[in-house]
Amino acid sequence: MRTVRTVAELRSALAPARRDGLAIGLVPTMGALHEGHLSLIRRAAQECDLVVVSLFVNPAQFNERADLDRYPRREREDAALAARAGAELLFAPAVEEVYPPGFATSVEVLGGLAERLEGVSRGAEHFRGVATVVTKLLCMALPDVAYFGQKDAQQVLVIRRLVADLNLPVRVQALPTVREPDGLAMSSRNALLSPAERERARSLSAGLRAASELAADGERATEALLGAVREKMAELDVEPEYAALVDPDTLEPVERLTETALLAIAARIGDVRLIDNEILDPTTTTTTTPTHPGEAIATCSA
Ligand code: PAF
């Protein structure tokens, strides 16, 4: 696998494939690859002729300097993992390549989609940073398909919106969350947890599972479902930063589980902020929350 660092190198590496009409898949990442990323790369390799993985820790989407500074960086291991999963090209640009001097443009998805949930907790700059860098990566690589993880359900909605609104010629493919054996959603930030924090981190998936089971037993009141999340998380001494039951397409809060809804949560475990989500379906009578890696949670319909 080849590593390229400039947009010019990326475009010339992709030119023969484009000329031959081959399908190009892009998996945008910030590195510290885990099984969740690898599932995206493997799917891209199945569906496309050539897979590019981008590795760029995007400063514009971090609302806390400390979070950016301690974000795990391990390019050499990432390159080996990406190659093994089926990627041909690693695009690992420097910050100045993505944001050269004089850079003055940003992409912002307006309205509730970017303002709710993570938008409240992390501020408008977070999704502005994500939308801007993803738009740039799509323009740089011009892939046929771009792959994202459903763990970042709100990010997927924001990206689908900008792709539609800007008429970008790419298919956005979201794939299910991959989990550790105890249910913890895989995330690059998990590597920052101490052993004691790692134990408490399973409170997020445990909270989702508790609500999912209650819903499967027939509970429809949002307050009761969110109460089950909070109660379960409290057992591991974790208080959610938010726990919300929302429409899976608009992210507007729902009062009762009468249609498929997205249950989204965020919590701080020590200094590490984690998010997770699950789709609740009122027609389901058994819970789908997985406890094994590679198993899918029910996917968002968006
Ligand atoms: O999900 C991520 O890792 C990032 O938000 C992304 C999509 C690579 C943009 O920086």
Side-chain angles (χ1 to χ4, degrees), residues 28-30 37 56 58 61 71 130 133-134 137 148 152 155 159:
T29 82
M30 298 204 297
H37 296 115
F56 179 63
N58 175 33
Q61 71 188 75
Y71 201 84
V130 171
V133 85
V134 169
L137 291 168
F148 299 90
D152 298 299
Q155 170 172 281
I159 292 168

Side-chain angles (χ1 to χ4, degrees), residues 275-300:
I275 59 172
D276 201 352
N277 68 76
E278 156 119 51
I279 285 287
L280 298 189
D281 178 352
T283 63
T284 303
T285 49
T286 52
T287 174
T288 54
T289 311
T291 53
H292 298 293
E295 270 186 74
I297 63 167
T299 51
C300 176

Side-chain angles (χ1 to χ4, degrees), residues 5-255:
R5 304 210 179 265
T6 67
V7 180
E9 281 177 305
L10 174 69
R11 290 202 170 136
S12 79
L14 291 176
R18 207 179 309 287
R19 197 182 46 232
D20 293 346
L22 300 183
I24 296 171
L26 172 68
V27 182
T29 82
M30 298 204 297
L33 301 187
H34 50 67
E35 206 40 54
H37 296 115
L38 301 182
S39 73
L40 303 181
I41 299 171
R42 283 191 209 106
R43 174 67 82 86
Q46 281 165 11
E47 293 182 348
C48 302
D49 301 303
L50 191 154
V51 178
V52 186
V53 172
S54 66
L55 192 173
F56 179 63
V57 183
N58 175 33
Q61 71 188 75
F62 285 80
N63 51 318
E64 287 174 25
R65 179 75 215 196
D67 191 25
L68 172 63
D69 289 345
R70 68 171 169 250
Y71 201 84
R73 289 166 174 84
R74 37 181 200 233
E75 182 183 319
R76 199 198 302 233
E77 291 96 313
D78 286 346
L81 287 168
R84 229 173 294 140
E88 275 88 4
L89 210 54
L90 184 72
F91 176 48
V95 173
E96 309 74 55
E97 180 69 10
V98 178
Y99 302 114
F103 182 84
T105 302
S106 61
V107 177
E108 185 165 4
V109 172
L110 301 171
L113 262 195
E115 282 167 8
R116 300 181 198 281
L117 307 177
E118 289 297 283
V120 174
S121 297
R122 304 186 66 178
E125 67 267 32
H126 170 63
F127 281 120
R128 198 184 305 131
V130 171
T132 303
V133 85
V134 169
T135 304
K136 282 179 68 80
L137 291 168
L138 294 175
C139 291
M140 290 167 178
L142 296 175
D144 297 279
V145 193
Y147 295 83
F148 299 90
Q150 190 61 39
K151 181 177 77 70
D152 298 299
Q154 187 174 9
Q155 170 172 281
V156 171
L157 289 173
V158 166
I159 292 168
R160 285 193 195 282
R161 186 75 262 157
L162 77 87
V163 163
D165 290 354
L166 300 178
N167 304 100
L168 299 180
V170 62
R171 178 164 69 83
V172 173
Q173 174 80 58
L175 295 183
T177 304
V178 178
R179 295 174 181 279
E180 300 284 357
D182 66 358
L184 176 65
M186 292 209 182
S187 161
S188 303
R189 288 188 172 85
N190 293 351
L192 303 172
L193 296 165
S194 69
E197 289 167 347
R198 170 65 186 80
E199 172 60 16
R200 292 173 63 226
R202 72 186 170 78
S203 61
L204 281 86
S205 57
L208 293 177
R209 190 177 182 85
S212 184
E213 284 171 356
L214 200 56
D217 285 346
E219 181 59 74
R220 296 290 172 260
T222 295
E223 257 329 294
L225 295 167
L226 297 182
V229 173
R230 287 194 206 97
E231 206 175 298
K232 194 72 196 171
M233 291 179 76
E235 285 175 16
L236 284 159
D237 199 21
V238 176
E239 196 185 331
E241 194 172 287
Y242 64 74
L245 190 66
V246 296
D247 180 287
D249 297 319
T250 64
L251 301 183
E252 277 170 37
V254 298
E255 275 175 24

